[in-house]
Amino acid sequence: MPADLAVIGLGPYGLPLAQAAVAAGIPTLGYRTGPEADPLTPAEVRRMLATGFRTPTGPTGPAELGRVRTAVICAPTPPGADGGLDLTQVEAAARTLAAHMRPHTTVILESPVRPGTTEDFLRPLLEQGSGLRAGRDFHLAYSPSRVDPGNRDFTPANTPKVIGGLTPACTESAAAFYSRLTDKVVRARGPREAETVQLLETNFRHVNIALVNEMAVLCDDLGVDLWDVLRCAETKPFGFHAFRPGPGVGGHSVPQDLTGRAPHSLRMVELAQQVNAQMPRYVVQRAAALLNEHGKSARGARILLLGVTYKADLADQQATPAEEIATRLMSMGAAVSYHDPHIPSWNVADRPVPRADSLYEAAADADLTILLQQHRTYDLQGLSVKAQLLLDTRGATPTGAAHRL
């Protein structure tokens, strides 16, 4: 069966899109653009392969891009050396697609990018490589990815999709595609507006996490129970949205302040990045202080880290704060081990970190246990009983059962 859709980039943005497309009965091709974290389980990928998903390989694989009606570029855009986003994989995807693209194809970019990228960066690559003209010979649009890995409540089917096309016809062509996957399509005025939606949504998260992280530090200094403050504050039915502090911000959505790239930089976002980047160091400081309060030094202390992924119940370690926390603890002379049901082995600074086989035995043996990620399989009540000393960075343990961030 000829494929109807090509998803270029099979990481945290592309694979969930391909999964949704296959579930909607759309024959789909998948192409990798480089090393990418796999957000799906092997079982989920096997089900996709059994129901219309293919990943062509070899020299003739990209030629099949010339037979699809829709191509969505979902290549990762990690932080670049200049502080901006690295578009290397987006460029590679565009060049590969352009070499095979035929007229009337709908091309959609979903990768996180700064405003203007679709028109100023992607469009010239596609036009030069294909000899076709965007808006006349093929459709071009941007749609911010709204994937939330592991979220069972909000899926591609019930999450509205924002679309901004180069022309009204481009928007409608992209809308026709996404209407096959989702209940609601929202039309932006153009690609720049749609790109800026992604910018606002990502930065909203980072700024609010930074605020509550600062509140965590303040409340500890004041002897105030932050988690009780949050419990009460979130009962307000308007004007407040609850965020939770944590040991740091990980994942694939990179905050952008556009410094040097727009008339006005987003100073609040720049400050939020600084605040959130300090949280791993703060967790280590709290850990050392707790050990001192109990007559122990961080040097030589046995410290167990629980959950080293960036998000609960996933195996993804992209930008996980656990790595910096482990590095700092080791540099202080602590003997660090870890437990994570999703990570069978873990290296930090090119050194293997010992993995605890028996969770409760390891917690009982450790001088300090630090909960970094609240995986569903963790019995936090049981852990709080077994652990000699427990620092909970997620506010997940019962009140009074542990020292909480």
Side-chain angles (χ1 to χ4, degrees), residues 193-211:
E193 284 77 13
E195 290 163 335
T196 309
V197 168
Q198 182 272 326
L199 178 75
L200 176 59
E201 291 176 353
T202 298
N203 287 337
F204 178 86
R205 170 175 174 259
H206 282 274
V207 167
N208 280 278
I209 290 174
L211 172 61

Side-chain angles (χ1 to χ4, degrees), residues 279-295:
M279 290 309 290
R281 179 181 299 178
Y282 177 69
V283 169
V284 171
Q285 290 172 351
R286 285 286 304 275
L290 273 176
L291 286 167
N292 286 338
E293 289 170 15
H294 289 76

Side-chain angles (χ1 to χ4, degrees), residues 37 251 308-310 314-320 323 343 345-347:
V308 297
T309 59
Y310 94 87
L314 295 178
D316 197 339
Q317 293 178 270
Q318 175 72 27
T320 172
E323 185 167 339
I343 306 298
S345 63
W346 188 37
N347 288 347

Side-chain angles (χ1 to χ4, degrees), residues 243-256:
F243 282 76
R244 300 289 188 270
V249 179
H252 301 265
S253 59
V254 180
Q256 299 179 53

Side-chain angles (χ1 to χ4, degrees), residues 205-252:
R205 170 175 174 259
H206 282 274
V207 167
N208 280 278
I209 290 174
L211 172 61
V212 79
N213 278 338
E214 283 207 300
M215 288 295 297
V217 177
L218 173 68
C219 287
D220 183 59
D221 289 342
L222 296 176
V224 171
D225 186 343
L226 168 73
W227 304 95
D228 192 55
V229 173
L230 288 171
R231 179 184 64 83
C232 295
E234 65 185 349
T235 62
K236 185 179 180 182
F238 55 89
F240 182 80
H241 182 81
F243 282 76
R244 300 289 188 270
V249 179
H252 301 265

Side-chain angles (χ1 to χ4, degrees), residues 26-42:
I26 301 173
T28 302
L29 301 177
Y31 294 86
R32 292 197 177 276
T33 59
E36 299 168 299
D38 190 338
L40 304 183
T41 66

